[in-house]
Amino acid sequence: MDLSQVPNLKHLSENNFFLLAGPCAIEGEEMAMRIAERVVGITDKLKIPYVFKGSFKKANRSRIDSFTGIGDEKALKILGKVSKEFNIPTVTDIHTENDALMAAAYVDILQIPAFLVRQTDLVVAAANTGKTVNLKKGQFMSPEAMQHAVRKVYDSGNDKAMITDRGTMFGYQDMIVDFRGIPAMQKYAPTVLDITHSLQQPNQSSGVTGGKPELIETIAKAGIAVGVDGIFLETHHDPKVAKSDGANMLKLDYLEDLLTKLVAIRKTINQF
Protein backbone atom coordinates (compact mmCIF):
# COMPACT_ATOMS: atom_id res chain seq x y z
CA MET A 1 0.00 0.00 0.00
CA ASP A 2 1.15 3.50 -0.87
CA LEU A 3 0.27 5.84 2.02
CA SER A 4 -0.43 8.60 -0.49
CA GLN A 5 -3.67 6.71 -1.17
CA VAL A 6 -4.99 7.98 2.18
CA PRO A 7 -6.74 11.32 1.47
CA ASN A 8 -5.31 14.48 3.07
CA LEU A 9 -2.37 12.69 4.70
CA LYS A 10 0.25 15.45 4.88
CA HIS A 11 4.04 15.45 5.38
CA LEU A 12 4.62 12.14 3.57
CA SER A 13 7.78 13.48 1.95
CA GLU A 14 9.51 13.76 5.34
CA ASN A 15 10.33 10.02 5.56
CA ASN A 16 8.84 10.00 9.04
CA PHE A 17 6.59 7.50 10.78
CA PHE A 18 2.87 8.25 10.56
CA LEU A 19 0.54 8.62 13.53
CA LEU A 20 -2.96 7.35 14.26
CA ALA A 21 -4.07 9.07 17.47
CA GLY A 22 -7.09 10.37 19.30
CA PRO A 23 -9.53 9.39 22.03
CA CYS A 24 -10.63 5.81 22.51
CA ALA A 25 -14.25 6.79 21.93
CA ILE A 26 -16.01 9.89 20.66
CA GLU A 27 -17.55 11.28 23.85
CA GLY A 28 -18.78 14.53 22.28
CA GLU A 29 -17.94 17.15 19.69
CA GLU A 30 -16.08 19.55 21.97
CA MET A 31 -13.63 16.93 23.24
CA ALA A 32 -12.99 15.52 19.77
CA MET A 33 -12.31 18.92 18.23
CA ARG A 34 -10.15 19.96 21.17
CA ILE A 35 -7.98 16.85 20.95
CA ALA A 36 -7.73 17.02 17.16
CA GLU A 37 -6.67 20.67 17.24
CA ARG A 38 -3.93 19.95 19.76
CA VAL A 39 -2.56 16.92 17.92
CA VAL A 40 -2.69 18.64 14.52
CA GLY A 41 -0.63 21.49 15.94
CA ILE A 42 2.00 19.09 17.28
CA THR A 43 2.20 16.87 14.19
CA ASP A 44 2.38 19.83 11.81
CA LYS A 45 5.27 21.22 13.87
CA LEU A 46 7.09 17.88 13.81
CA LYS A 47 6.11 17.02 10.19
CA ILE A 48 4.39 13.78 11.15
CA PRO A 49 1.64 12.45 8.84
CA TYR A 50 -1.45 12.31 11.05
CA VAL A 51 -4.75 10.41 11.09
CA PHE A 52 -7.32 11.29 13.77
CA LYS A 53 -8.62 8.19 15.58
CA GLY A 54 -11.92 7.84 17.41
CA SER A 55 -14.36 4.97 17.86
CA PHE A 56 -17.92 5.92 16.96
CA LYS A 57 -19.12 3.12 19.23
CA LYS A 58 -17.55 0.57 21.55
CA ALA A 59 -18.96 -2.90 21.02
CA ASN A 60 -16.40 -5.03 22.87
CA ARG A 61 -16.89 -3.97 26.47
CA SER A 62 -16.37 -6.22 29.48
CA ARG A 63 -19.61 -5.20 31.21
CA ILE A 64 -23.06 -4.38 29.91
CA ASP A 65 -23.11 -1.14 31.89
CA SER A 66 -19.91 0.18 30.26
CA PHE A 67 -20.04 3.25 27.99
CA THR A 68 -20.64 2.29 24.36
CA GLY A 69 -21.15 5.62 22.63
CA ILE A 70 -23.21 8.76 22.10
CA GLY A 71 -25.12 7.40 19.11
CA ASP A 72 -23.70 6.03 15.87
CA GLU A 73 -24.69 8.79 13.46
CA LYS A 74 -23.94 11.56 15.93
CA ALA A 75 -20.40 10.25 16.54
CA LEU A 76 -19.74 9.63 12.84
CA LYS A 77 -20.81 13.17 11.99
CA ILE A 78 -18.29 14.45 14.55
CA LEU A 79 -15.57 12.41 12.84
CA GLY A 80 -16.64 13.91 9.53
CA LYS A 81 -16.46 17.40 11.01
CA VAL A 82 -12.96 16.78 12.40
CA SER A 83 -11.81 15.69 8.96
CA LYS A 84 -13.32 18.72 7.23
CA GLU A 85 -12.29 21.27 9.86
CA PHE A 86 -8.62 20.22 10.04
CA ASN A 87 -8.20 18.70 6.56
CA ILE A 88 -6.96 15.40 7.97
CA PRO A 89 -7.97 11.75 7.44
CA THR A 90 -9.88 9.87 10.12
CA VAL A 91 -10.14 6.25 11.24
CA THR A 92 -12.79 4.41 13.25
CA ASP A 93 -13.53 0.82 14.28
CA ILE A 94 -16.33 -1.21 12.75
CA HIS A 95 -17.89 -4.32 14.25
CA THR A 96 -20.54 -5.49 11.76
CA GLU A 97 -20.92 -5.62 7.99
CA ASN A 98 -23.58 -2.91 8.15
CA ASP A 99 -21.12 -0.67 10.02
CA ALA A 100 -18.73 -0.76 7.08
CA LEU A 101 -20.91 1.07 4.58
CA MET A 102 -22.28 3.45 7.23
CA ALA A 103 -18.85 4.47 8.56
CA ALA A 104 -17.29 4.69 5.08
CA ALA A 105 -19.49 7.71 4.37
CA TYR A 106 -17.66 9.67 7.08
CA VAL A 107 -14.11 8.32 7.53
CA ASP A 108 -11.09 7.45 5.39
CA ILE A 109 -9.85 4.30 7.14
CA LEU A 110 -11.97 1.45 8.49
CA GLN A 111 -10.39 -0.41 11.38
CA ILE A 112 -11.08 -4.06 12.11
CA PRO A 113 -10.77 -4.76 15.87
CA ALA A 114 -8.30 -7.42 16.94
CA PHE A 115 -11.00 -9.76 18.23
CA LEU A 116 -12.74 -9.66 14.82
CA VAL A 117 -9.85 -9.76 12.36
CA ARG A 118 -10.58 -13.39 11.39
CA GLN A 119 -14.21 -12.56 10.52
CA THR A 120 -14.11 -12.92 6.74
CA ASP A 121 -17.44 -11.25 6.00
CA LEU A 122 -16.49 -8.20 8.07
CA VAL A 123 -13.07 -7.82 6.45
CA VAL A 124 -14.55 -8.23 2.96
CA ALA A 125 -17.32 -5.72 3.71
CA ALA A 126 -14.70 -3.18 4.75
CA ALA A 127 -12.58 -3.89 1.68
CA ASN A 128 -15.58 -3.55 -0.62
CA THR A 129 -16.09 0.07 0.44
CA GLY A 130 -12.80 0.95 -1.26
CA LYS A 131 -11.51 2.57 1.91
CA THR A 132 -8.15 1.76 3.48
CA VAL A 133 -8.55 -1.14 5.91
CA ASN A 134 -6.52 -1.22 9.13
CA LEU A 135 -6.34 -4.79 10.38
CA LYS A 136 -5.51 -5.06 14.06
CA LYS A 137 -3.60 -8.25 14.81
CA GLY A 138 -5.51 -10.59 17.06
CA GLN A 139 -3.93 -10.98 20.49
CA PHE A 140 -4.16 -14.71 19.85
CA MET A 141 -2.53 -14.66 16.39
CA SER A 142 1.01 -15.03 15.14
CA PRO A 143 2.43 -12.20 13.00
CA GLU A 144 2.66 -14.59 10.05
CA ALA A 145 -1.05 -15.40 10.27
CA MET A 146 -1.88 -11.78 9.42
CA GLN A 147 -0.95 -12.39 5.79
CA HIS A 148 -4.28 -14.15 5.37
CA ALA A 149 -6.27 -11.18 6.69
CA VAL A 150 -4.38 -8.90 4.30
CA ARG A 151 -5.01 -11.32 1.44
CA LYS A 152 -8.76 -11.14 2.07
CA VAL A 153 -8.60 -7.38 1.47
CA TYR A 154 -6.48 -7.76 -1.68
CA ASP A 155 -8.63 -10.58 -3.06
CA SER A 156 -11.66 -8.31 -2.65
CA GLY A 157 -10.11 -5.94 -5.18
CA ASN A 158 -8.78 -3.44 -2.63
CA ASP A 159 -5.01 -2.82 -2.45
CA LYS A 160 -5.24 -0.49 0.57
CA ALA A 161 -4.48 -2.45 3.73
CA MET A 162 -2.33 -1.92 6.80
CA ILE A 163 -1.66 -4.02 9.90
CA THR A 164 -1.57 -2.84 13.51
CA ASP A 165 0.12 -4.88 16.24
CA ARG A 166 -1.54 -4.37 19.60
CA GLY A 167 0.32 -6.93 21.64
CA THR A 168 -0.04 -10.65 22.25
CA MET A 169 -1.71 -12.32 25.20
CA PHE A 170 0.76 -13.19 27.95
CA GLY A 171 -1.14 -15.20 30.49
CA TYR A 172 -4.67 -14.18 31.37
CA GLN A 173 -4.18 -10.54 32.36
CA ASP A 174 -1.23 -9.14 30.48
CA MET A 175 0.03 -8.28 27.00
CA ILE A 176 3.52 -8.40 25.52
CA VAL A 177 4.94 -6.94 22.31
CA ASP A 178 7.04 -9.33 20.26
CA PHE A 179 9.12 -6.95 18.17
CA ARG A 180 10.16 -9.79 15.86
CA GLY A 181 6.65 -9.56 14.44
CA ILE A 182 7.08 -6.08 12.99
CA PRO A 183 9.45 -6.99 10.13
CA ALA A 184 7.46 -10.18 9.59
CA MET A 185 4.21 -8.27 9.06
CA GLN A 186 5.88 -5.56 6.98
CA LYS A 187 6.28 -8.21 4.27
CA TYR A 188 2.49 -8.09 3.85
CA ALA A 189 1.51 -4.45 4.44
CA PRO A 190 2.60 -1.23 6.19
CA THR A 191 2.76 -2.04 9.89
CA VAL A 192 1.72 0.10 12.85
CA LEU A 193 2.48 -0.42 16.54
CA ASP A 194 -0.34 0.32 18.97
CA ILE A 195 1.59 1.58 21.96
CA THR A 196 -1.36 2.03 24.30
CA HIS A 197 -3.47 -1.12 23.81
CA SER A 198 -0.26 -3.15 23.92
CA LEU A 199 -0.02 -2.08 27.56
CA GLN A 200 -3.52 -3.16 28.53
CA GLN A 201 -4.15 -5.56 31.37
CA PRO A 202 -7.41 -7.20 30.30
CA ASN A 203 -9.70 -9.67 32.05
CA GLN A 204 -9.62 -7.95 35.42
CA SER A 205 -12.08 -9.39 37.94
CA SER A 206 -13.69 -5.94 38.22
CA GLY A 207 -14.64 -6.03 34.53
CA VAL A 208 -12.64 -2.83 33.92
CA THR A 209 -9.46 -3.21 31.85
CA GLY A 210 -6.24 -2.06 33.52
CA GLY A 211 -3.00 -0.87 31.97
CA LYS A 212 0.60 0.30 32.33
CA PRO A 213 0.74 3.76 30.71
CA GLU A 214 4.08 4.49 32.35
CA LEU A 215 5.63 2.16 29.75
CA ILE A 216 4.18 3.94 26.70
CA GLU A 217 7.43 5.76 25.95
CA THR A 218 9.46 2.55 26.30
CA ILE A 219 7.29 0.60 23.86
CA ALA A 220 7.13 3.51 21.42
CA LYS A 221 10.91 4.04 21.36
CA ALA A 222 11.50 0.35 20.77
CA GLY A 223 8.98 0.28 17.92
CA ILE A 224 10.59 3.21 16.13
CA ALA A 225 14.04 1.69 16.63
CA VAL A 226 12.84 -1.56 15.03
CA GLY A 227 11.54 0.42 12.05
CA VAL A 228 7.75 0.34 12.39
CA ASP A 229 5.91 2.37 9.74
CA GLY A 230 3.40 4.00 12.07
CA ILE A 231 2.43 4.54 15.68
CA PHE A 232 -1.10 4.18 17.07
CA LEU A 233 -2.02 5.66 20.43
CA GLU A 234 -5.04 6.81 22.36
CA THR A 235 -4.87 10.13 24.14
CA HIS A 236 -7.16 12.29 26.26
CA HIS A 237 -6.92 15.54 28.20
CA ASP A 238 -7.68 13.67 31.41
CA PRO A 239 -7.47 9.87 31.07
CA LYS A 240 -8.89 9.40 34.58
CA VAL A 241 -12.29 10.61 33.37
CA ALA A 242 -12.19 9.03 29.91
CA LYS A 243 -15.23 6.84 29.33
CA SER A 244 -13.22 4.03 27.72
CA ASP A 245 -9.66 2.69 28.12
CA GLY A 246 -8.49 5.49 30.40
CA ALA A 247 -6.18 3.09 32.25
CA ASN A 248 -3.77 2.77 29.33
CA MET A 249 -4.13 6.15 27.56
CA LEU A 250 -1.46 8.80 27.16
CA LYS A 251 -2.28 12.14 28.74
CA LEU A 252 -2.43 14.71 25.94
CA ASP A 253 -0.01 17.03 27.76
CA TYR A 254 2.73 14.40 27.33
CA LEU A 255 2.25 13.87 23.60
CA GLU A 256 4.58 16.51 22.16
CA ASP A 257 7.51 15.42 24.30
CA LEU A 258 6.99 11.79 23.29
CA LEU A 259 6.68 12.51 19.58
CA THR A 260 9.71 14.80 19.63
CA LYS A 261 11.80 11.95 21.02
CA LEU A 262 10.40 9.49 18.47
CA VAL A 263 11.16 11.83 15.56
CA ALA A 264 14.76 12.12 16.78
CA ILE A 265 15.06 8.33 16.95
CA ARG A 266 13.56 7.96 13.48
CA LYS A 267 16.03 10.46 12.02
CA THR A 268 18.88 8.45 13.51
CA ILE A 269 17.51 5.15 12.23
CA ASN A 270 17.10 6.61 8.74
CA GLN A 271 20.89 7.09 8.58
CA PHE A 272 21.50 3.34 8.55
Side-chain angles (χ1 to χ4, degrees):
M1 174 189 168
D2 181 355
L3 290 173
S4 65
Q5 294 173 292
V6 179
N8 302 321
L9 191 57
K10 300 178 288 184
H11 308 306
L12 287 174
S13 63
E14 299 296 324
N15 197 23
N16 214 342
F17 60 90
F18 62 97
L19 177 70
L20 285 69
C24 178
I26 299 298
E27 300 172 8
E29 181 176 318
E30 189 277 335
M31 67 86 70
M33 299 297 284
R34 184 181 173 199
I35 292 172
E37 182 177 27
R38 183 84 173 274
V39 182
V40 166
I42 295 168
T43 52
D44 279 349
K45 177 181 177 181
L46 297 174
K47 307 299 183 186
I48 299 172
Y50 173 50
V51 180
F52 178 85
K53 181 269 168 189
S55 297
F56 76 95
K57 69 177 175 184
K58 301 298 296 181
N60 52 336
R61 307 311 308 275
S62 298
R63 299 188 338 202
I64 198 169
D65 60 347
S66 296
F67 173 81
T68 57
I70 60 174
D72 294 355
E73 188 174 10
K74 183 177 180 180
L76 286 168
K77 284 182 176 179
I78 290 171
L79 284 164
K81 184 172 181 178
V82 166
S83 181
K84 184 176 181 180
E85 183 79 16
F86 298 103
N87 194 31
I88 54 173
T90 54
V91 56
T92 198
D93 312 76
I94 60 171
H95 300 86
T96 68
E97 296 160 62
N98 289 336
D99 284 351
L101 196 58
M102 176 174 63
Y106 297 93
V107 303
D108 303 288
I109 302 174
L110 298 177
Q111 182 165 285
I112 308 298
F115 289 129
L116 301 177
V117 75
R118 285 177 53 90
Q119 297 297 104
T120 299
D121 289 348
L122 178 61
V123 173
V124 170
N128 285 341
T129 67
K131 299 288 185 176
T132 298
V133 182
N134 184 25
L135 300 155
K136 300 202 83 173
K137 185 182 82 66
Q139 302 93 321
F140 45 86
M141 293 174 64
S142 71
E144 291 75 16
M146 286 302 294
Q147 65 184 296
H148 305 298
V150 172
R151 177 51 55 191
K152 289 174 185 178
V153 177
Y154 293 167
D155 287 348
S156 300
N158 186 336
D159 64 350
K160 301 190 289 290
M162 63 176 70
I163 301 169
T164 294
D165 190 345
R166 48 98 70 239
T168 300
M169 288 303 298
F170 188 68
Y172 288 118
Q173 295 175 329
D174 209 356
M175 311 288 294
I176 191 168
V177 177
D178 181 355
F179 289 97
R180 299 173 299 176
I182 291 173
M185 291 185 288
Q186 285 175 319
K187 296 175 183 177
Y188 319 127
T191 299
V192 179
L193 178 61
D194 182 340
I195 62 174
T196 49
H197 287 110
S198 293
L199 293 167
Q200 279 186 333
Q201 292 181 305
N203 304 320
Q204 300 293 318
S205 59
S206 65
V208 179
T209 297
K212 295 181 177 179
E214 67 275 9
L215 292 176
I216 287 173
E217 183 173 318
T218 300
I219 296 294
K221 286 178 175 177
I224 296 297
V226 170
V228 75
D229 299 294
I231 291 290
F232 177 110
L233 66 87
E234 290 183 341
T235 186
H236 194 283
H237 287 95
D238 187 357
K240 295 191 299 297
V241 302
K243 295 183 179 180
S244 177
D245 276 1
N248 54 267
M249 274 192 194
L250 178 72
K251 189 173 182 180
L252 190 54
D253 287 343
Y254 303 152
L255 182 62
E256 183 169 355
D257 179 66
L258 173 64
L259 293 179
T260 299
K261 293 174 181 175
L262 299 185
V263 168
I265 296 171
R266 177 61 179 247
K267 286 180 179 178
T268 301
I269 294 300
N270 286 343
Q271 297 175 16
F272 297 99

